[in-house]
């Protein structure tokens, strides 16, 4: 019996080994059959390495970041047999390179960041960017040469300042002095929310604030660095183009025309931006792939048509390649005058690769070109992986190219089966259904990203795009190209009039669709696991071509199933403990807010998928019982106390399970539960509290960010420094700024929207004067 059992066990082990070997052989065969698609996964794996770097709780040493690359290369020199080993090694190399690239980029752009708020400090520097604001004033970005008493190694490279009174004569490259109140870039409004400070770090922005006096031209300043002078020339050209547009096409149409030509969106009102966002047309306002394709495509066809009209050239030379080269140069010019924003740079790289493929006699519309463009962007700017524009633009392009490939392959198979009848029918359907198909595919592709980042879905985006996109492609963007051509001759008024008519049509469409009942759906936040499953499923579905691509549907379904599985905070405390919100029995937040808390509270409501405004969430507080000394509430059977006056501390410190104090906790106050005071929120950010049975689980913004260069010290002291006090030392003084050449090469202009560009208690749209 013992020998028989052993023999049976050995036979079972052999069968299992044989089954595993058969599975490996079959998997290797499938991968071998799709070898031409392997490269498409390179940017995905590269991005996984970038993601791993940014999710570390602490900053690794450069040597530690480069070590995985060396380890994988060492393994590659030993393990070279078999398709599976080759795939695994290539994947590991891509992940390791992505991790290393993110670390190198972080160190490359390192620059000091303010550690605390500075009041009415004198700032001297050179103007890099001047942005108009839709209400009043301007926003300027300064290359700092002097900031109070800060030493050069402690001084931020750039600061951004809001000026309440516009200065029409202020131009990029001007040396100015200004009195301003500055603060460090703001931390997220709640754990896991958008981190403006990280985006600011990679743009060299070390402080934001507002002016307390009008800027003065610094006539004693030295000459600006050559890189800044070169960049200022481009910025002045953009400013001049914007002024010419405003003169010929005033009003909202002119502001949108300026945005589409120069990339400057500061003049567009909030109401128009909201209408374009709610209707699903906000992508039209940001120069990206759509605008670059139309602009470069117009150059390509115009040059090719002009060359074809000259027989001696058309019959003897490759005029198609000449037109492609002209389109690349035209796209480069459009990039320079549009402000070098991330979406425009991505679009230029992609369109250059497409036209470069034409020059090299390669297929222009191919998934390999999309993968190469994504890999190029990630290698140069790894932090763009977390940019919503990067994710949504490449998601839409990947889905559209995959759909194009599927339709093309199916048409080629059926053409041989059914003769010539299907070809004309398919051509007819593609001609009239192309816009519908493109809009539906792109909308489905970007839907998970829109829900994850913005907690919204535009229900009538297909309808709006069916109306507005043809207007943009056929009328607006060709007229924009004609405007740029005619402007040196002073003849821009005619093309701008045509452009304005098209913009008016898009405005009508945006507002009409945004007003429809149920135009915007609110979606509660979901975790990164669900989002990652959706993204992985979509990539699997689009990047492979064999039938196993359908497994991607399982990933999408798993992501949708996991989306509701997120724990909601029962209590949120933010804004220096002045803002407190509790979750009521209906699952919605009720808040007690201090002055200037509306932005942070609105972020909380958006994260919850709550359509209410901040004012509505605070107008009635049914969960709180308040008097002059403070407020109390019951959450999950726990006593919550919000102390407003020291007179209430005696009772609150004795009875509260969760005590919130908007001033420093006094000695002798030792309640039985959790205390969140002014210093705790000021240093660690918003506290998200969950009451789980007998436990109290607290997550802070500082915990979710980790100890990274852009997060500052975990226990950052953000007390104010007033004139007469000595400015403190920066923890980042060890970081050396890159050279002028490196700064010129890497100076990109990300589209940073923080919503708190002024002092923390003064949000966008409010005034301090």
């Amino acid at each position: 019996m013992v020998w028989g059992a052993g023999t049976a066990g050995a036979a079972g082990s052999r069968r299992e080994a044989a089954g595993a070997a058969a599975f490996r052989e079959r998997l290797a065969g499938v991968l071998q059959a799709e070898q031409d698609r392997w490269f498409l996964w390179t940017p995905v794996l590269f991005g996984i390495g970038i993601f791993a770097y940014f999710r570390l709780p602490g900053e690794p040493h450069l040597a530690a970041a480069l070590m995985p690359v060396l380890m994988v290369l060492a393994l590659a020199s030993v393990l070279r047999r078999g398709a599976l080993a080759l795939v695994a090694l290539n994947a590991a190399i891509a992940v390791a390179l992505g991790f290393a690239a993110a670390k190198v980029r972080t160190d490359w752009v390192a620059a000091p960041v303010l550690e605390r708020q500075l009041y009415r400090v004198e700032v001297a520097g050179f103007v890099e960017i001047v942005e108009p604001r839709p209400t009043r004033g301007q926003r300027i970005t300064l290359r700092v040469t002097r900031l109070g008493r800060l030493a050069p190694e402690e001084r931020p490279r750039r600061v951004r300042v809001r000026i309440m009174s516009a200065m029409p004569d202020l131009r990029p490259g001007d040396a100015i002095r200004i009195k301003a109140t500055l603060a460090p870039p703001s931390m997220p409004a709640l754990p896991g929310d958008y981190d403006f400070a990280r985006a600011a770090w990679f743009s060299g922005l070390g402080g934001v604030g507002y002016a307390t006096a009008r800027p003065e031209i610094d006539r004693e300043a030295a000459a600006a660095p050559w890189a800044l002078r070169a960049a200022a020339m481009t910025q002045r050209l953009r400013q001049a183009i914007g002024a010419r547009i405003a003169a010929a096409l005033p009003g909202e149409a002119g502001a949108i025309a300026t945005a589409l030509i120069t990339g400057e969106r500061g003049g567009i009102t909030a109401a128009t931006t909201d209408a374009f966002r709610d209707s699903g047309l906000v992508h039209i306002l940001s120069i990206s792939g759509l605008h670059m394709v139309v602009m470069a495509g117009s150059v390509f066809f115009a040059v090719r048509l002009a060359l074809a009209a000259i027989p001696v050239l058309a019959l003897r030379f490759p005029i198609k390649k000449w037109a492609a080269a002209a389109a690349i140069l035209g796209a480069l010019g459009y990039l320079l005058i549009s402000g070098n924003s991330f979406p425009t740079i991505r679009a230029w790289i992609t369109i250059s690769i497409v036209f470069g493929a034409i020059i090299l006699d390669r297929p222009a519309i191919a998934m390999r070109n999309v993968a190469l463009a994504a890999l190029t962007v990630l290698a140069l700017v790894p932090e763009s992986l977390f940019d919503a524009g990067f994710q949504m633009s490449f998601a839409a392009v990947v889905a559209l190219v995959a759909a194009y490939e599927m339709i093309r392959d199916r048409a080629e198979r059926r053409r041989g089966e059914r003769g010539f009848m299907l070809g004309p029918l398919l051509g007819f359907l593609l001609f009239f259904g192309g816009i519908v198909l493109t809009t539906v595919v792109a909308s489905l592709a970007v839907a998970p990203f829109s829900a994850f980042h913005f907690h919204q879905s535009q229900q009538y985006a297909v309808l709006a795009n069916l109306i507005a996109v043809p207007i943009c492609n056929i009328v607006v963007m060709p007229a924009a190209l004609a405007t740029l051509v005619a402007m040196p001759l002073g003849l821009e008024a005619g093309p701008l009039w045509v452009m304005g008519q098209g913009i008016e049509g898009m405005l009508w469409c945006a507002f009409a669709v945004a007003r429809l009942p149920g135009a915007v759906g609110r979606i509660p936040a979901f975790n990164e696991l669900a989002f990652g499953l959706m993204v992985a499923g979509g990539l699997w579905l689009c990047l492979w071509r064999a039938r196993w691509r359908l497994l991607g549907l399982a990933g999408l379904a798993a992501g949708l199933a996991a989306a509701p599985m997120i724990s909601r905070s029962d209590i949120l405390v933010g804004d220096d403990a002045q803002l407190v919100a509790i979750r009521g029995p209906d699952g919605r937040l009720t808040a007690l807010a201090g002055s200037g808390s509306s932005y942070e509270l609105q972020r909380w409501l958006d994260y919850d998928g709550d359509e209410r405004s901040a004012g509505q969430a605070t107008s009635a507080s049914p969960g709180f019982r308040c008097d002059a000394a403070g407020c109390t509430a019951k959450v999950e059977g726990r006593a919550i106390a919000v102390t407003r006056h020291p007179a209430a501390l005696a009772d609150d410190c004795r009875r509260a399970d969760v005590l919130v104090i908007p001033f420093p906790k006094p000695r002798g106050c030792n309640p039985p539960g959790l205390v969140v005071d002014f210093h705790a929120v000021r240093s660690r950010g918003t506290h998200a509290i969950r009451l789980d049975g007998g436990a109290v689980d607290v997550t802070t913004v500082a915990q979710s960010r980790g100890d990274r260069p852009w997060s500052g010290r975990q226990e950052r002291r953000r007390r104010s420094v007033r004139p007469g006090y000595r400015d403190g030392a920066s923890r980042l003084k060890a970081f050396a700024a890159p050279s002028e050449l490196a700064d010129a090469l890497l100076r990109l202009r990300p589209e940073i929207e923080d919503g708190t560009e002024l002092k923390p208690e003064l949000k966008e749209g409010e005034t301090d004067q």
Side-chain angles (χ1 to χ4, degrees):
M1 293 294 292
V2 175
W3 285 103
T7 303
S13 299
R14 287 194 296 271
R15 285 194 298 270
E16 291 177 1
F23 174 77
R24 288 195 300 269
E25 184 177 351
R26 184 174 180 181
L27 179 60
V30 174
L31 289 173
Q32 197 69 36
E34 296 227 54
Q35 187 172 2
D36 61 323
R37 312 288 285 188
W38 290 3
F39 176 75
L40 306 183
W41 288 94
T42 303
V44 178
L45 297 166
F46 195 88
I48 291 174
I50 296 172
F51 179 84
Y53 166 79
F54 280 102
R55 282 297 175 264
L56 290 177
E59 188 65 19
H61 193 275
L62 180 60
L66 298 176
M67 190 60 66
V69 179
L70 301 178
M71 293 173 61
V72 175
L73 291 176
L75 284 175
S77 65
V78 178
L79 304 176
R80 296 184 177 181
R81 299 180 59 184
L84 290 180
L86 180 62
V87 170
L89 286 172
N90 288 336
I93 289 174
V95 173
L97 287 174
F99 188 92
K103 172 59 180 175
V104 170
R105 168 73 173 167
T106 299
D107 287 355
W108 185 265
V109 302
V113 177
L114 291 178
E115 286 194 344
R116 57 186 66 86
Q117 189 164 320
L118 307 178
Y119 280 91
R120 296 186 298 278
V121 65
E122 183 173 90
V123 186
F126 296 98
V127 177
E128 287 190 331
I129 302 172
V130 180
E131 303 170 270
R133 309 312 292 162
T135 51
R136 66 184 179 120
Q138 296 167 312
R139 188 171 70 181
I140 62 174
T141 301
L142 280 179
R143 173 76 70 84
V144 179
T145 58
R146 188 177 69 254
L147 201 163
R149 299 180 183 178
L150 291 181
E153 64 271 13
E154 301 171 343
R155 189 171 58 221
R157 181 184 305 156
R158 294 184 180 91
V159 297
R160 197 170 67 187
V161 180
R162 176 72 181 268
I163 303 173
M164 290 302 172
S165 299
M167 297 181 62
D169 297 332
L170 191 63
R171 299 190 302 170
D174 288 346
I176 66 170
R177 294 192 307 267
I178 188 171
K179 287 278 190 178
T181 293
L182 298 175
S186 59
M187 61 176 63
L190 72 164
D193 197 23
Y194 169 72
D195 194 344
F196 167 61
R198 184 177 64 193
W201 170 270
F202 286 99
S203 65
L205 192 64
V208 295
Y210 64 97
T212 58
R214 287 177 63 85
E216 298 177 358
I217 299 296
D218 188 357
R219 306 193 183 280
E220 300 178 358
W226 68 267
L228 194 147
R229 292 198 301 270
M233 291 177 60
T234 303
Q235 293 297 331
R236 291 188 179 193
L237 176 61
R238 295 178 64 234
Q239 196 173 22
I241 292 174
R244 296 277 290 272
I245 293 172
L249 189 63
E252 195 72 6
I256 294 178
T258 301
L260 296 179
I261 292 177
T262 70
E264 179 51 65
R265 293 181 291 167
I268 302 176
T269 62
T272 297
T273 301
D274 291 342
F276 273 77
R277 183 186 62 244
D278 294 345
S279 61
L281 296 176
V282 72
H283 62 93
I284 291 180
L285 298 181
S286 175
I287 297 177
S288 56
L290 172 67
H291 311 82
M292 190 67 74
V293 166
V294 175
M295 189 69 75
S298 299
V299 173
F300 174 77
F301 287 110
V303 172
R304 190 178 183 188
L305 181 64
L307 294 175
I310 307 174
V312 67
L313 295 178
L315 297 176
R316 300 179 60 183
F317 298 99
I319 61 171
K320 183 178 180 181
K321 296 182 179 182
W322 290 7
I328 293 175
L329 293 177
L332 177 61
Y334 189 38
L335 169 68
L336 293 177
I337 67 170
S338 62
N340 294 341
S341 66
F342 277 169
T344 317
I345 292 171
R346 290 193 301 267
W348 177 76
I349 291 174
T350 304
I351 203 68
S352 297
I353 290 174
V354 169
F355 283 113
I358 294 176
I359 295 174
L360 298 175
D361 295 319
R362 305 287 295 178
I365 302 177
M367 194 71 80
R368 179 175 289 269
N369 294 341
V370 180
L372 183 59
L375 183 60
T376 303
V377 173
L378 289 176
L380 293 175
V381 195
E383 69 273 13
S384 64
L385 176 72
F386 295 92
D387 183 65
F390 171 87
Q391 296 174 8
M392 297 175 76
S393 62
F394 275 103
V397 173
V398 166
L400 289 170
V401 174
Y404 166 79
E405 290 178 340
M406 184 184 67
I407 294 173
R408 182 191 61 193
D409 294 345
R410 183 166 297 183
E412 290 177 354
R413 289 196 302 269
R414 293 188 177 182
R415 186 179 296 115
E417 297 173 2
R418 302 187 181 183
F420 67 95
M421 291 299 294
L422 187 59
L425 176 61
L426 183 61
F428 178 82
L429 293 176
L430 289 178
F431 179 78
F432 287 99
I435 296 177
V436 177
L437 178 65
T438 299
T439 303
V440 170
V441 170
S443 298
L444 290 175
V446 303
F449 301 91
S450 178
F452 182 76
H453 290 288
F454 309 117
H455 316 299
Q456 291 184 353
S457 65
Q458 287 72 35
Q459 310 298 338
Y460 305 118
V462 174
L463 173 63
N465 280 273
L466 284 176
I467 299 172
V469 170
I471 296 175
C472 182
N473 292 351
I474 298 173
V475 179
V476 174
M477 293 311 298
L481 177 60
T483 297
L484 291 175
V485 173
M487 193 167 286
L489 304 176
L491 303 176
E492 68 273 10
L496 279 175
W497 181 87
V498 176
M499 190 177 182
Q501 300 306 304
I503 290 173
E504 292 292 344
M506 294 194 302
L507 281 168
W508 171 85
C509 174
F511 279 96
V513 173
R515 292 192 192 102
L516 293 177
V520 179
R522 304 290 178 176
I523 301 174
F526 48 92
N527 56 37
E528 288 184 343
L529 174 61
F531 180 61
L533 288 171
M534 295 180 198
V535 173
L539 289 171
W540 194 274
L541 187 64
C542 293
L543 297 187
W544 296 121
R545 301 187 72 172
R547 290 183 62 85
W548 73 331
R549 69 190 298 181
L550 297 179
L551 292 174
L553 296 175
L556 290 169
L560 291 173
M565 300 179 185
I566 184 173
S567 298
R568 304 286 174 189
S569 301
D570 297 305
I571 306 170
L572 290 166
V573 183
D575 192 24
D576 296 342
Q578 296 283 345
L579 173 63
V580 183
I582 61 173
R583 194 171 302 280
D586 60 353
R588 301 206 301 177
L589 294 175
T590 300
L592 298 173
S595 60
S597 300
S598 59
Y599 172 80
E600 194 165 346
L601 177 56
Q602 190 62 56
R603 292 295 300 173
W604 294 358
L605 295 173
D606 292 342
Y607 197 82
D608 250 17
D610 194 330
E611 63 183 8
R612 293 177 299 164
S613 66
Q616 292 171 330
T618 57
S619 60
S621 303
F624 288 100
R625 298 176 59 187
C626 299
D627 57 26
C631 299
T632 60
K634 284 282 187 178
V635 179
E636 299 291 331
R638 304 292 187 88
I640 314 300
V642 181
T643 302
R644 299 299 191 194
H645 192 278
L649 276 176
D651 287 340
D652 292 343
C653 290
R654 185 173 62 253
R655 300 176 181 177
D657 294 307
V658 177
L659 175 60
V660 180
I661 311 175
F663 47 84
K665 187 188 81 167
R667 294 180 180 179
C669 180
N670 300 304
L674 174 69
V675 179
V676 182
D677 71 345
F678 168 86
H679 285 311
V681 180
R682 174 62 67 95
S683 62
R684 297 190 290 275
T686 296
H687 285 50
I689 305 169
R690 288 186 60 245
L691 306 177
D692 188 6
V696 178
D697 182 32
V698 182
T699 303
T700 66
V701 167
Q703 290 173 342
S704 66
R705 300 172 84 196
D707 188 12
R708 309 307 296 271
W710 49 86
S711 62
R713 290 196 300 257
Q714 287 281 9
E715 303 289 338
R716 180 191 296 178
R717 296 171 299 163
R718 295 184 61 184
R719 63 177 181 269
S720 302
V721 178
R722 299 183 180 273
Y725 284 78
R726 186 179 183 276
D727 300 326
S730 169
R731 70 179 291 269
L732 299 174
K733 66 180 182 180
F735 288 100
S739 65
E740 279 299 324
L741 178 60
D743 187 62
L745 292 175
L746 292 179
R747 176 169 344 151
L748 305 175
R749 184 183 163 215
E751 293 297 321
I752 298 176
E753 294 296 339
D754 61 321
T756 55
E757 64 190 48
L758 306 179
K759 56 185 176 181
E761 61 270 21
L762 184 64
K763 310 305 188 231
E764 178 66 40
E766 302 174 6
T767 61
D768 65 301
Q769 298 177 5

